[in-house]
Amino acid sequence: MSNFTRSVIVTGGTTGLGFHAAAAIARQRPDHCIVIASRKNADGSAESINRSVGRDNVRFMPLDLGDVKNVRSFVQSWGEKSLPPISVLLLNAGSQFPFDIKYTADGFEASFGINHVGHALLFSLLQPYLADEVRIVVTASGTHDPMQKTGMPNAKYTSAEDLAHPSGDALKIPGRQRYTTSKLCNVLWTYALDRRVRRLPQKKWTVVAFDPGLMPGTGLARQYPALLRFMWKRVLPALIPLLRLVVSPNIHRAEESGASLAWVALDDAVKGTSGVYFEGKKQIKSSVDSYDEAKQEELWSWTLKTLAVDEQERRRFEVVE
């Protein structure tokens, strides 16, 4: 590993979007150690990428974003490996629970807990291992924006505590709306973090949100019934050209979106761009709600208060020098 100059982390990098982004980065950055981090690596994804690109710069590390102790253990293991500084951090993994409400190991509603809480904690703990120049990309979704008319329920942000520990009528919120709201949280958090990294005079840290579009065939539908999973995995991928014409142009194969994610992470054309939202390779406006600074700061404050174990750690998580 000592031959590598920089490290890259891709959460959810063993399948779908993250897998193809990791492969594209491995191909373009042979001097970087690319770590794909997921709960499991059943298909030998790191080895598969290495074979496909003819290199040996991809590694797998286990990470469960739904378990705070596991996230902390991951970062401890990272520190023990003496890997090069991280120059690209792709906070990409995501889960959707369309039916009954699910909870993480720590009692957070699972969509919010995995898609937001786990990633926010991972970033906070990894700060000492980030290079002076780092690109952070948060995978969001166009479903967070009602104006996109994706067919998904509108995201609704009330408070972080309501989303983390729903009670009363909030327990009846459909799982798909919990997902779209968690994706709104990804964008809110991105903008809150951007304000903070801009205050670091000695660092060139940038953070953006990224919408990969609809990607039939990926693992996002793994919680759906068997027939819908079959349609998603086997039927819809073959219909992507037609779907682009009759539904939305923002429908892609995972390989295409993975290449776009790698472009947002690496390309000189967007180097230094921060605090913005990309749909594929195109910079666009995110939802109206995502620009609400009160919501951004409420989410940021709740996250720090909830995840930091003491005041000293809270100050570190605040992203100040």
Side-chain angles (χ1 to χ4, degrees), residues 112-308:
F112 180 77
I114 293 169
N115 299 347
H116 167 65
V117 174
H119 277 134
L121 178 61
L122 179 64
F123 165 78
S124 298
L125 293 168
L126 283 173
Q127 285 187 55
Y129 305 104
L130 299 182
D132 287 342
E133 185 170 346
V134 62
R135 183 69 157 171
I136 304 151
V137 185
V138 182
T139 297
S141 168
T143 63
H144 89 280
D145 186 355
M147 298 300 291
Q148 295 269 359
K149 301 188 186 305
T150 61
M152 293 284 280
N154 292 349
K156 184 179 180 182
Y157 187 94
T158 50
S159 73
E161 179 60 23
D162 287 346
L163 299 177
H165 303 113
S167 61
D169 287 344
L171 292 169
K172 302 173 186 175
I173 291 173
R176 296 194 311 153
Q177 187 176 41
R178 297 187 195 283
Y179 172 76
T180 60
T181 303
S182 75
K183 294 285 102 180
L184 171 59
C185 289
N186 288 152
V187 187
L188 291 168
W189 184 81
T190 295
Y191 295 158
L193 176 57
D194 171 65
R195 268 196 302 281
R196 286 157 174 84
V197 300
R198 289 174 184 270
R199 302 172 192 157
L200 303 177
Q202 307 305 318
K203 307 287 187 183
K204 294 181 180 178
W205 290 5
T206 59
V207 56
V208 297
F210 172 78
D211 169 25
L214 185 68
M215 297 174 293
T218 61
L220 192 61
R222 56 185 170 268
Q223 301 291 335
Y224 281 77
L227 178 59
L228 290 177
R229 289 201 309 273
F230 175 79
M231 293 289 292
W232 179 258
K233 291 286 286 186
R234 303 298 179 191
V235 179
L236 293 181
L239 300 177
I240 286 176
L242 177 62
L243 293 172
R244 283 176 179 158
L245 288 173
V246 301
V247 180
S248 166
N250 193 25
I251 300 176
H252 310 282
R253 298 194 313 274
E255 296 91 329
E256 295 169 330
S257 292
S260 294
L261 177 53
W263 181 87
V264 170
L266 300 177
D267 200 273
D268 285 343
V270 290
K271 185 178 181 181
T273 306
S274 189
V276 300
Y277 180 89
F278 284 91
E279 180 184 87
K281 294 182 179 180
K282 182 171 62 175
Q283 184 180 322
I284 67 169
K285 288 287 188 180
S286 52
S287 72
V288 172
D289 275 359
S290 70
Y291 294 105
D292 186 327
E293 287 195 19
K295 289 183 171 68
Q296 295 166 13
E297 291 302 313
E298 198 274 342
L299 176 64
W300 183 272
S301 297
W302 178 92
T303 303
L304 259 62
K305 182 180 73 173
T306 303
L307 295 179

Side-chain angles (χ1 to χ4, degrees), residues 4-11 18 21-22 25-26 29 31-37 57-59 61 74 78 83-90 126 129 134-135 265-266:
F4 296 120
T5 61
R6 288 289 183 267
S7 296
V8 174
I9 296 179
V10 185
T11 68
I25 294 171
R29 295 289 190 272
D31 61 333
H32 286 31
C33 177
I34 292 94
V35 174
I36 54 177
N57 58 332
V58 182
R59 304 286 185 271
M61 285 181 64
F74 173 90
W78 183 274
L83 292 164
I86 299 162
S87 62
V88 175
L89 178 59
L90 302 188
L126 283 173
Y129 305 104
V134 62
R135 183 69 157 171
L266 300 177

Side-chain angles (χ1 to χ4, degrees), residues 35-46:
V35 174
I36 54 177
S38 294
R39 285 186 301 125
K40 54 188 178 181
N41 187 30
D43 297 326
S45 298

